């Protein structure tokens, strides 16, 4: 149910749906997705669906993780990436396979505690997790070649745009009711924006979660 064979079938489905970046496919075949969900859901971990992870949040479907990773890489290597919304840490672990240094921010403390344990279990030493409001970014570690949001936003705050390196890209679900994957690229002249697939994400929430 959670074997390498199950994972191989997931990879075949991703290919069938149009994921072509071999680096992303290799990363997803290396990360055991079932350890990121509650045990009771482990047998559904490799299905192409989003699943609940507590605190009203969801782990994105394998296709969504693959698609966003592929858009972020755009066919080339990434040195430093900032992820906003660590959640269960699955997207983080996938990024850590092909990004030199991953910084990930999560606003819900108790989610992050579990995620820390999982990432340690996988011996991912190139991930830095931070309990904070991701909308502020991480100026002390900027600039980033890539910034990825795992929750939907209507716009990107100026402080985050400034933390993007020249030729860097932001991939995020844009909108509130109707959402589309959006890629913002920074070049010497400024920023360009491209809207892609329709998607459904939980909304980004400003500030740190309190009990
Ligand atoms: N990639 C994650 C997705 C989790 S859902 C996974 O696969 O598990 C989105 C996550 O974004 C939630 O964990 C939520 O708490 C977090 N989030 C929402 N607003 C945030 C903010 N302002 N700063 C940091 N994290 C935020």
């Amino acid at each position: 149910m959670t074997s390498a064979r199950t994972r191989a079938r997931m990879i075949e489905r991703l290919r069938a749906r149009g994921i072509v970046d071999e680096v992303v496919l290799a990363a997803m075949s290396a990360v055991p997705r079932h350890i990121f969900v509650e045990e009771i859901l482990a047998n559904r971990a490799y299905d192409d669906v989003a699943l609940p992870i507590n605190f009203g949040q969801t782990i994105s479907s394998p296709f969504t993780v693959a698609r966003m990773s592929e858009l972020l890489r755009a066919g080339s290597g990434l040195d430093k990436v900032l992820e906003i919304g660590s959640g269960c840490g699955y997207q983080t672990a996938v990024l850590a396979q092909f990004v030199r240094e991953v910084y990930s921010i999560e606003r819900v403390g108790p989610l992050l505690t579990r995620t820390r344990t999982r990432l340690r279990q996988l011996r991912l030493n190139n991930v830095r997790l931070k309990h904070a409001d991701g909308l502020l970014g991480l100026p002390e570690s900027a600039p980033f070649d890539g910034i990825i949001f795992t929750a939907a936003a209507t716009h990107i705050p100026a402080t985050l745009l400034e933390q993007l390196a020249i030729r860097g890209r932001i991939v995020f679900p844009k909108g509130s009711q109707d959402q589309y994957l959006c890629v913002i690229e920074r070049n010497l002249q400024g920023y360009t924006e491209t809207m892609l697939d329709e998607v459904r994400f939980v909304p980004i929430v400003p500030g740190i979660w309190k009990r």
Side-chain angles (χ1 to χ4, degrees), residues 81-87 92 102-106 112 127-131 138:
V81 165
L82 174 66
E83 177 187 39
I84 296 166
S86 326
T92 324
V102 181
Y103 295 81
S104 185
I105 309 181
E106 171 57 55
L112 200 57
V127 176
R128 309 268 168 278
L129 297 174
K130 189 172 177 183
H131 180 213
L138 212 54

Side-chain angles (χ1 to χ4, degrees), residues 53 57-59 85 87-88 105-108 111 133-134 150 204-205:
I53 55 164
Q57 306 302 321
T58 50
I59 175 174
C88 69
I105 309 181
E106 171 57 55
R107 69 182 290 276
V108 179
L111 273 181
D133 178 358
T150 69
I204 198 112
V205 182

Side-chain angles (χ1 to χ4, degrees), residues 134-139 142 147 156-164 191:
L135 289 171
L136 306 175
L138 212 54
I147 301 180
I156 303 291
T159 167
L160 272 175
L161 289 173
E162 284 159 17
Q163 292 175 36
L164 188 64
Y191 299 86

Side-chain angles (χ1 to χ4, degrees), residues 66-108:
R67 177 82 173 123
M68 291 181 83
S69 302
E70 192 170 74
L71 289 171
L72 195 70
R73 261 183 43 82
S76 59
L78 291 165
D79 191 50
K80 249 197 294 178
V81 165
L82 174 66
E83 177 187 39
I84 296 166
S86 326
C88 69
Y90 178 70
Q91 172 81 71
T92 324
V94 169
L95 290 171
Q97 309 298 312
F98 55 79
V99 176
R100 190 181 62 84
E101 215 166 10
V102 181
Y103 295 81
S104 185
I105 309 181
E106 171 57 55
R107 69 182 290 276
V108 179

